[in-house]
């Protein structure tokens, strides 16, 4: 390692001039914060400056990240740089993205029969109107993907839901073509959206069957070769009649002698006369019950 001695500053004061005492060769060093901290012996400041130098992005790197869709705040947070420093290099790229988004709105969506006659902006305006949304509240944006192709985005708020639709934009001399990249983008440019459903044709009444058709139509039993219920019932009756046993002839039985029933006794107090031939006196129960002396109620 060769030793150098300080010669002085350049005219603009941005570099320190040093020389080799043996050969006379001159060298220059940038008069920055790192050199000032080293001249003061501030080791802590030297370490901090080293970290800041490693995290800084070059202008091309900043613009490449902005062109890929990153925001200024995201680049500043990832690199540790000040937002104002990132804005200086990001501003031209943001203008490029805004111009690409405007060109995508004038593009023609691709369909199965070729590009549509209407532009993307016209079709999306009709779709928003049919859904009850306001296109003025939506935001258009564009950036380049990994294949260096433009991607257009439409972002809007519906209630508490944030919706996003993405299309691939290929510019050309006729306004460019638009191809959907997700379901939301496909639904917005769907030509069948909002079209009324096809009506059902009226049902035609069937002509009544003629007598010849009814006569020629086979019955269920004739078609399958089975026996009808009436025939089965007739056969069942015949079988039951054959199996019914003949009635037995009653044999004469000798009469059985029965005991004669005893003659009913006359109720006391209901007789006509007593032993002396005089009318009998009614009993006390007959008087209470209203029975006559003759024995009749």
């Amino acid at each position: 390692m060769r030793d150098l001695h300080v010669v002085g500053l350049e005219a603009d004061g941005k570099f320190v001039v040093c020389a080799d005492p043996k050969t006379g060769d001159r060298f220059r060093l940038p008069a920055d914060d790192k050199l000032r901290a080293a001249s003061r012996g501030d080791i802590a400041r030297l370490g901090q400056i080293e970290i800041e130098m490693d995290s800084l992005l070059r202008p091309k790197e900043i613009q490449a990240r902005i062109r890929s869709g990153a925001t200024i705040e995201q680049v500043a947070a990832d690199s540790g740089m000040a937002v104002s420093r990132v804005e200086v290099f990001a501003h031209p790229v943001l203008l490029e993205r805004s111009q690409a988004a405007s060109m995508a709105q004038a593009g023609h969506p691709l369909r199965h029969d070729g590009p549509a006659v209407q532009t993307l902006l016209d079709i999306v305006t009709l779709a928003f109107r049919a859904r009850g949304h306001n296109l003025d509240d939506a935001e258009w944006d564009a950036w380049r993907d990994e294949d260096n192709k433009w991607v257009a985005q439409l972002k809007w708020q519906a209630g508490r839901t944030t919706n996003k639709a993405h299309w691939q934009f290929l510019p050309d001399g006729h306004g460019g073509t638009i191809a959907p990249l997700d379901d939301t983008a496909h639904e917005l440019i769907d030509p069948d959206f909002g079209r009324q459903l096809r009506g059902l044709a009226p049902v035609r009444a069937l002509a009544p069957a003629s007598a010849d058709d009814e006569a020629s139509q086979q019955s269920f039993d004739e078609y399958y070769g089975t026996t009808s219920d009436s025939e089965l019932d007739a056969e069942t009756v015949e079988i039951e009649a054959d199996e019914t046993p003949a009635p037995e002839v009653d044999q004469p039985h000798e009469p059985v002698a029965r005991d004669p029933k005893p003659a009913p006794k006359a109720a006391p107090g209901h007789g006509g006369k007593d032993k002396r031939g005089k009318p009998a006196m009614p009993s006390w129960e007959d008087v209470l019950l209203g029975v006559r002396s003759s024995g009749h109620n």
Side-chain angles (χ1 to χ4, degrees):
M1 183 181 295
R2 291 184 295 178
D3 295 332
L4 302 176
H5 66 274
V6 177
V7 176
L9 291 174
E10 288 188 349
D12 56 3
K14 294 182 179 180
F15 293 93
V16 177
V17 180
C18 300
D20 187 352
K22 294 182 180 180
T23 61
D25 296 336
R26 291 195 172 189
F27 304 90
R28 67 177 187 176
L29 298 174
D32 53 10
D33 294 339
K34 192 174 184 180
L35 180 60
R36 296 186 184 95
S39 62
R40 295 193 306 266
D42 191 350
I43 300 177
R45 177 57 180 165
L46 280 174
Q48 183 179 0
I49 294 174
E50 190 70 23
I51 295 174
E52 292 178 356
M53 292 296 294
D54 293 339
S55 61
L56 292 179
L57 297 176
R58 293 179 299 176
K60 289 185 178 180
E61 295 175 347
I62 295 175
Q63 292 181 349
R65 297 190 60 178
I66 296 296
R67 190 175 287 107
S68 299
T71 62
I72 296 177
E73 291 75 12
Q74 291 175 347
V75 175
D78 295 341
S79 62
M81 300 173 61
V83 175
S84 58
R85 183 175 177 83
V86 177
E87 287 179 347
V88 175
F89 306 105
H91 183 69
V93 182
L94 292 177
L95 292 178
E96 181 183 356
R97 289 173 52 179
S98 177
Q99 184 179 2
S102 300
M103 294 174 60
Q105 298 177 42
H108 301 275
L110 288 175
R111 292 174 178 170
H112 64 279
D113 55 350
V117 177
Q118 293 177 313
T119 63
L120 176 63
L121 180 61
D122 296 336
I123 296 175
V124 171
T125 301
L126 295 176
F128 266 57
R129 188 178 303 169
R131 289 172 168 84
H133 302 323
N134 188 5
L135 189 58
D136 296 336
D137 299 334
E139 298 178 1
W140 290 92
D141 196 2
W143 61 81
R144 289 189 180 272
D145 58 7
E146 297 177 355
D147 299 331
N148 203 28
K149 295 180 180 180
W150 283 108
V151 175
Q153 173 186 272
L154 179 62
K155 178 181 177 181
W156 74 96
Q157 192 79 15
R160 297 184 179 181
T161 305
T162 301
N163 302 286
K164 295 180 181 180
H166 301 88
W167 297 272
Q168 187 179 75
F169 172 55
L170 299 176
D172 56 23
H174 301 283
T177 56
I178 296 293
L181 297 178
D182 49 38
D183 294 339
T184 305
H186 181 76
E187 291 176 359
L188 287 177
I189 63 175
D190 186 5
D192 296 331
F193 175 78
R195 182 176 297 178
Q196 295 182 357
L197 297 177
R198 183 175 57 184
L200 298 177
V203 180
R204 299 176 59 184
L206 298 177
S210 60
D212 297 338
D213 295 338
E214 294 180 355
S216 61
Q217 185 177 5
Q218 295 180 344
S219 64
F220 179 84
D221 299 328
E222 293 175 351
Y223 183 81
Y224 288 97
T226 58
T227 306
S228 61
D229 295 340
S230 59
E231 295 178 359
L232 290 175
D233 295 340
E235 294 178 359
T236 304
V237 171
E238 293 178 359
I239 294 173
E240 291 180 354
D242 296 340
E243 294 179 355
T244 303
E248 297 180 359
V249 180
D250 296 337
Q251 298 295 333
H253 297 282
E254 295 181 357
V256 179
R258 298 182 179 179
D259 297 335
K261 295 182 179 180
K265 297 180 180 181
H270 293 278
K273 297 181 180 181
D274 57 3
K275 295 179 180 181
R276 293 177 295 179
K278 295 182 179 180
M281 294 295 292
S283 63
W284 181 251
E285 290 82 359
D286 294 339
V287 175
L288 293 177
L289 297 176
V291 180
R292 296 181 180 179
S293 59
S294 60
H296 300 282
N297 294 336

